[in-house]
Amino acid sequence: MFSYLVRRIASMIPSLLLTSIIVFSFIHLIPGDPARVMLGDQATPEQVEYLRESMGLNRPLYIQYFKWLGGILRGDFGSSIFFHQPVLSVIADRAETSVFIALISIVLIILIGIPIGILSAIRYNSFLDQFFSGVSMFFASIPTFWLGLNLMLLFSVILKIFPSSGFPSILKSGNWENLRYLILPCITLAIPNSALIIRLTRSSMLDVSNADYVKTARAKGLSEMRVNIRHIFRNALVAVTSALGFTFIGLVSKTVVTETVFSLPGIGRLIVESILRRDYPTIQGIILIVAFIYMVINLIVDLSYALLDPRIRYS
Amino acid sequence: MGRMLRAFYGRKIALLGLFVIVLLVLSAVFAPLLVTFDPIEMNPAEKLASPNGKHWMGTDNFGRDIFSRVVYGARTSLVGSAGVVLFSLVLGVLIGVSSGYFKRVEPYLMRLIDVLMAFPSLLMALVLVSILGRGMVNVIIAVGITYLTRTTRIVYGLTLKLREEPYIEAAVSSGVKQRWIILRHILPNMMSPIIVQATFTFAFSLLDMASLDFLGLGIPPSVPSWGNMLSEGRMYLTRAPWLLLFPGACIVLTVLSFNLAGDVLRDQLDPHFRRDIEGV
């Protein structure tokens, strides 16, 4: 197991280096002078020259890259052009909202997706199965922002149950009631994302429903419930876990839109604002961190296989 | 073709989806004949009018006719999604087949594709549009790159599998040229899963492009597109909900129809390829 872990982590290094090259190249793909583009038309030539100098944009490309990479390895992601603060602290300021949203949404996705998936598989081809598959396809076809706006119209404007926008910090105020600001955004994220989990749970349970070990379990007289949960669902758990990486990536994309719809002070909105402000160091920092988290999730997923499936052993 | 149509007959709801797709394509092609008003002509005297006999879907904040804009929006959305499908298919097949067939290029190309998959689709598209600038072609490239990775993965997997088939081995051992094997044997045998993937790419790229428009980084606001209409209509959520209702419903209907069609094709066209598609 230990040697597998070392090999697996070592294999992440080339991927991380390639990721860093792609993210680094963003600034250099901008047509024209990146310093001028980032500062806008209002900036004086002196300001442009100062930024070019401070970001090292005058130096050869490979020196710029290694200097930037060296900084990142020391935890220095550069400075935000808009906030005039280190990128990492700008991201940390916005992290609370996004972390809360991600955690609550993932819990909701699991709570919605897995039970419905199990039910659909057990009642395969019944009315219930077709109903759920229709409903989940419908929700997978809705644009996230449109769903968010409709929920806002119904629950905030008409019924006045939940607040429509903003999120006062819980960590600073200690007031857990503020979580109600995140209910609508989390539902907006969870509903379309659950569709994938429903589908996966259902299809991977159906895949093994005729396997020999399931027949054996039935033949030795285990109750239908026990066969479904202990023997068939266990298989679905592997598939659902392997989809966690995909779910995370999908969630990030949808968070960008959802945080904009509900005006939440999170990382998703930060990236849209940074793109509109052409604050490239901040954009690079966020994308690098997201790609890194994705790779770590995939590592954890790979390691968890051994726990979930007794047939898999890492030597 | 006959087999495909029969498959749709079996599933009534999918047939409805197919009908919606045909209707959309027809209205996009014949848009100038269908509309009752110029989609970009402003008429401040009639702004924010609710749906009525003259303006079937009401008017927006500039007094523009929503029905006419929705019809022209179909054109923008369908052209955009078709562009993404074309872009991701052509490049995806090229990269996927060469990685699967020629061992020498495989480690470099597939590693690049795997790394690109670690970037969330919308973030990647947003950054690319901010670099390339707004506009239809740039949006197609930005969104297309994300779908390119998925198509490449599928084509790569299929190529690896097909390479081991006895008839390909027979062709190789009888001295058939590589180019001929790829064109005559490998590509035709992966057409079904590629068609299925294209249907889903069409559906989901439409959602992504609408999101880009909504965030203000898609097609320029002067062009009527469903995403742009929703982006502008958002300000009038409470005063004029019809600004959001019609373009939003069109997106849902279109994406749903393509998803239904894709589902039927996946189930019927080639059952033994189902796993390859579902795995991605």
Side-chain angles (χ1 to χ4, degrees):
Chain A
M1 184 74 179
F2 182 72
S3 69
Y4 172 79
L5 189 67
V6 172
R7 261 184 293 136
R8 183 67 179 68
I9 291 176
S11 77
M12 276 169 69
I13 294 171
S15 300
L16 279 170
L17 280 176
L18 198 55
T19 307
S20 71
I21 293 173
I22 295 172
V23 173
F24 171 77
S25 65
F26 286 162
I27 280 192
H28 300 278
L29 286 172
I30 304 172
D33 177 4
R36 163 64 64 194
V37 171
M38 282 189 268
L39 289 175
D41 296 334
Q42 314 291 323
T44 61
E46 290 76 33
Q47 286 171 315
V48 174
E49 186 50 41
Y50 177 75
L51 180 68
R52 211 180 285 141
E53 195 58 45
S54 64
M55 287 184 73
L57 293 169
N58 289 331
R59 297 188 202 167
L61 268 184
Y62 69 93
I63 294 184
Q64 285 185 45
Y65 171 70
F66 284 113
K67 202 166 167 284
W68 178 75
L69 190 66
I72 286 168
L73 292 176
R74 289 192 308 271
D76 172 15
F77 282 68
S79 276
S80 158
I81 291 173
F82 182 80
F83 293 101
H84 304 291
Q85 272 181 40
V87 166
L88 217 50
S89 75
V90 172
I91 296 175
D93 281 347
R94 304 288 196 102
E96 182 193 345
T97 315
S98 299
V99 170
F100 270 121
I101 291 183
L103 290 179
I104 300 172
S105 305
I106 286 186
V107 171
L108 279 178
I109 290 170
I110 292 172
L111 288 181
I112 300 171
I114 291 184
I116 295 183
I118 294 178
L119 210 62
S120 302
I122 294 176
R123 301 273 170 86
Y124 173 62
N125 242 348
S126 67
F127 170 75
L128 204 68
D129 177 25
Q130 282 171 358
F131 172 75
F132 281 134
S133 98
V135 169
S136 66
M137 185 182 277
F138 175 74
F139 280 112
S141 307
I142 295 186
T144 317
F145 57 91
W146 197 62
L147 178 64
L149 288 170
N150 280 320
L151 289 176
M152 193 195 272
L153 184 64
L154 181 64
F155 290 103
S156 308
V157 179
I158 298 174
L159 298 174
K160 296 191 170 46
I161 301 177
F162 299 115
S164 65
S165 60
F167 171 62
S169 167
I170 291 178
L171 299 181
K172 281 181 198 149
S173 66
N175 185 1
W176 286 88
E177 267 197 14
N178 291 345
L179 275 182
R180 66 200 174 89
Y181 283 87
L182 299 183
I183 293 177
L184 287 183
C186 289
I187 294 176
T188 308
L189 281 171
I191 291 181
N193 279 302
S194 309
L196 173 75
I197 303 294
I198 295 177
R199 235 187 147 87
L200 262 175
T201 309
R202 178 182 173 276
S203 65
S204 51
M205 277 182 75
L206 289 176
D207 271 352
V208 294
S209 56
N210 277 321
D212 286 341
Y213 69 87
V214 174
K215 284 182 189 153
T216 313
R218 285 213 172 92
K220 70 183 183 188
L222 292 185
S223 71
E224 199 54 27
M225 179 79 163
R226 216 178 151 81
V227 174
N228 278 325
I229 300 301
R230 288 280 308 257
H231 295 262
I232 301 183
F233 174 62
R234 193 73 187 260
N235 195 65
L237 213 52
V238 179
V240 171
T241 315
S242 70
L244 270 182
F246 270 112
T247 312
F248 170 74
I249 287 289
L251 214 54
V252 173
S253 277
K254 291 192 167 76
T255 307
V256 171
V257 180
T258 310
E259 286 184 356
T260 308
V261 170
F262 291 96
S263 310
L264 299 173
I267 294 174
R269 201 161 132 229
L270 175 65
I271 195 151
V272 177
E273 289 167 355
S274 304
I275 283 171
L276 292 171
R277 290 171 190 146
R278 304 194 172 270
D279 185 351
Y280 282 92
T282 309
I283 302 171
Q284 287 175 315
I286 298 174
I287 294 189
L288 262 187
I289 291 173
V290 167
F292 180 69
I293 297 176
Y294 172 73
M295 288 180 197
V296 172
I297 291 181
N298 275 347
L299 172 72
I300 298 170
V301 165
D302 278 359
L303 296 176
S304 69
Y305 284 154
L307 290 175
L308 293 169
D309 190 338
R311 287 167 299 190
I312 299 172
R313 285 280 169 269
Y314 296 121
S315 53
Chain B
M1 195 64 194
R3 197 165 50 131
M4 271 192 223
L5 278 178
R6 264 201 305 281
F8 277 101
Y9 267 111
R11 297 254 293 266
K12 292 284 178 297
I13 184 122
L15 200 62
L16 197 69
L18 199 64
F19 178 70
V20 171
I21 294 172
V22 173
L23 206 67
L24 270 167
V25 173
L26 287 179
S27 56
V29 174
F30 299 108
L33 301 176
L34 284 170
V35 298
T36 38
F37 290 88
D38 182 339
I40 41 179
E41 192 190 294
M42 299 185 196
N43 183 4
E46 288 189 66
K47 69 174 186 182
L48 297 178
S50 56
N52 54 52
K54 192 175 163 198
H55 299 284
W56 301 337
M57 295 183 180
T59 59
D60 68 4
N61 46 320
F62 292 112
R64 294 174 297 196
D65 181 55
I66 294 184
F67 171 72
S68 309
R69 290 178 70 74
V70 163
V71 173
Y72 270 92
R75 212 177 231 202
T76 319
S77 297
L78 295 188
V79 168
S81 288
V84 172
V85 168
L86 202 69
F87 178 87
S88 64
L89 274 194
V90 171
L91 283 178
V93 167
L94 207 67
I95 302 175
V97 170
S98 27
S99 311
Y101 202 83
F102 305 108
K103 280 274 169 246
R104 238 177 316 150
V105 292
E106 188 241 320
Y108 307 103
L109 288 177
M110 289 321 286
R111 175 75 78 169
L112 181 67
I113 294 292
D114 283 346
V115 166
L116 283 177
M117 283 183 113
F119 297 105
S121 58
L122 196 61
L123 282 198
M124 191 73 176
L126 282 171
V127 173
L128 285 173
V129 171
S130 82
I131 292 169
L132 301 169
R134 294 180 76 160
M136 179 66 105
V137 176
N138 293 346
V139 168
I140 290 176
I141 295 172
V143 176
I145 286 184
T146 323
Y147 290 93
L148 163 73
T149 57
R150 296 179 200 181
T151 311
T152 307
R153 269 251 146 242
I154 292 171
V155 172
Y156 169 70
L158 288 168
T159 312
L160 284 184
K161 213 160 138 186
L162 286 170
R163 262 184 60 160
E164 307 300 322
E165 294 283 333
Y167 59 88
I168 304 276
E169 281 178 11
V172 174
S173 56
S174 57
V176 180
K177 275 189 187 146
Q178 276 180 337
R179 200 190 308 158
W180 186 248
I181 292 178
I182 291 173
L183 287 177
R184 189 75 192 84
H185 297 290
I186 296 204
L187 283 182
N189 275 301
M190 53 171 76
M191 273 330 274
S192 306
I194 287 179
I195 290 172
V196 175
Q197 172 64 14
T199 322
F200 288 122
T201 301
F202 199 102
F204 291 115
S205 64
L206 207 150
L207 286 181
D208 282 351
M209 285 194 290
S211 299
L212 281 181
D213 289 350
F214 178 75
L215 294 171
L217 281 153
I219 293 159
S222 54
V223 181
S225 80
W226 294 337
N228 279 341
M229 292 173 76
L230 288 171
S231 181
E232 287 169 19
R234 188 190 159 196
M235 312 296 170
Y236 305 93
L237 179 68
T238 45
R239 271 174 68 196
W242 55 90
L243 261 64
L244 291 169
L245 178 71
F246 296 108
C250 282
I251 296 180
V252 177
L253 206 63
T254 312
V255 177
L256 190 62
S257 301
F258 274 93
N259 274 336
L260 283 168
D263 237 29
V264 172
L265 291 177
R266 171 170 53 194
D267 286 351
Q268 302 291 333
L269 274 182
D270 235 330
H272 64 271
F273 279 128
R274 276 176 69 172
R275 293 205 127 251
D276 299 314
I277 307 280
E278 277 179 2
V280 179

